[in-house]
Amino acid sequence: MKVALIDADSLLYYEMGKDTLEEAMMGIDNRITTILETTSADAYFGFLTEGKCFRYRLARTRPYKYNRKLSTKPPIFYALREYIKQRWGFKGILGLEADDCVSVYSTIIAETEGQSYVICSPDKDVLRQVPGRHFNFQKMEWVNTSDKEANEFLWMQTLMGDSTDGIPGIPGLGAKTAEKIINANDGTTSYEQDVLKIYVEKFGQYDGICKFTETFKLVYLLKTEEDILYNIRKPLEPIEFISINS
């Protein structure tokens, strides 16, 4: 059984600008149907971000997503959120972001005999940090990420942070430099050692270790049930995947 794991937050933003709620709901339906048909999935589950995630608690250098403009979402956004829950069975898990959810459940599926997954998301963090063959439904293209590539991207993110979410990383260190540092690893040290060394050189031993740890925890997508229990202080709740033919 192939399960489509849908990172669904963006679907609401794509459609909330429509003139009427009916048009927006139809747009949601069309997008989800296209995802399921393109991926040839047998079952699916869609995830929404629920409340403030655990990263707000972890961020010390700067508040998590401090650079996002505070704006009031239109009523249609909340109507669509309820619609996608009721019509398609999507849900959120309090304290987690949608990309953490698809990441963790992909691990669970990978360890289950007779099941496979395809992650459906437009988010580069998901597409490049989780191994597998993924579907970017914004660009309508497939993305293949190996275990090695996923690990390398995680450590690149730890170096450069994530400007979209207000995670600073090493000031002035961008994607090209981060990639160069990771690619220069010859196997005599781990990526972790290489990245930590740069933090200590930049900030000193104490601050360097603290900032390294903070950045890693902020960019790291949760991957196991143990990760969930540690970060949101409660076990992962079981879900039943929704059969396409049901």
Side-chain angles (χ1 to χ4, degrees):
M1 178 176 71
K2 182 196 287 187
V3 182
L5 297 173
I6 305 173
D7 175 11
D9 286 340
S10 57
L11 294 176
L12 306 180
Y13 289 96
Y14 294 159
E15 297 298 329
M16 70 181 189
K18 294 291 178 63
D19 291 335
T20 67
L21 179 58
E22 289 72 20
E23 286 182 282
M25 290 191 298
M26 185 178 298
I28 290 281
D29 291 344
N30 289 339
R31 288 180 185 273
I32 295 173
T33 299
T34 298
I35 289 170
L36 299 179
E37 289 178 348
T38 305
T39 59
S40 300
D42 303 302
Y44 72 90
F45 209 90
F47 296 95
L48 300 160
T49 297
E50 190 75 27
K52 278 197 170 184
C53 75
F54 67 95
R55 291 182 179 86
Y56 286 90
R57 171 173 47 83
L58 297 178
R60 293 288 183 266
T61 301
R62 294 175 183 171
Y64 185 54
K65 296 187 178 181
Y66 76 97
N67 54 341
R68 300 277 183 103
K69 290 183 178 179
L70 295 176
S71 57
T72 302
K73 297 181 180 67
I76 193 173
F77 175 90
Y78 300 100
L80 286 176
R81 185 176 171 87
E82 288 306 310
Y83 174 74
I84 206 171
K85 287 180 177 181
Q86 294 178 26
R87 167 67 177 85
W88 292 95
F90 288 15
K91 68 176 296 183
I93 299 175
L94 188 63
L96 295 180
E97 294 185 85
D99 48 9
D100 291 304
C101 294
V102 297
S103 176
V104 169
Y105 282 101
S106 73
T107 302
I108 293 172
I109 291 173
E111 296 172 348
T112 304
E113 186 176 355
Q115 291 186 352
S116 62
Y117 67 86
V118 52
I119 288 178
C120 308
S121 173
D123 189 335
K124 75 177 191 319
D125 298 341
V126 178
L127 300 176
R128 296 187 63 188
Q129 202 188 118
V130 180
R133 187 167 189 254
H134 313 310
F135 180 58
N136 183 334
F137 55 75
Q138 181 184 30
K139 296 183 177 181
M140 295 296 291
E141 65 183 23
W142 291 91
V143 177
N144 295 295
T145 302
S146 67
D147 290 336
K148 183 175 185 292
E149 289 168 336
N151 189 41
E152 289 176 345
F153 183 71
L154 168 62
W155 292 108
M156 284 176 57
Q157 280 190 304
T158 306
L159 279 167
M160 62 188 180
D162 188 334
S163 59
T164 302
D165 290 334
I167 304 170
I170 302 287
L173 194 152
K176 290 184 178 179
T177 303
E179 185 175 10
K180 183 178 179 180
I181 291 169
I182 296 302
N183 288 341
N185 182 283
D186 59 5
T188 58
T189 59
S190 67
Y191 295 135
E192 181 179 0
Q193 288 173 302
D194 294 345
V195 174
L196 177 57
K197 180 182 177 182
I198 293 171
Y199 267 88
V200 170
E201 288 174 350
K202 178 67 178 179
F203 299 107
Q205 187 172 30
Y206 180 80
D207 286 343
I209 292 172
C210 290
K211 290 180 182 295
F212 163 84
T213 303
E214 176 187 353
T215 304
F216 177 82
K217 287 182 176 182
L218 290 174
V219 301
Y220 175 80
L221 290 182
L222 305 188
K223 295 177 174 62
T224 67
E225 294 183 72
E226 290 75 18
D227 288 342
I228 297 290
L229 185 60
Y230 178 83
N231 283 284
I232 66 170
R233 309 293 194 266
K234 64 180 182 179
L236 185 67
E237 54 189 89
I239 61 171
E240 290 188 15
F241 301 122
I242 302 169
S243 173
I244 303 257
N245 297 318
S246 62

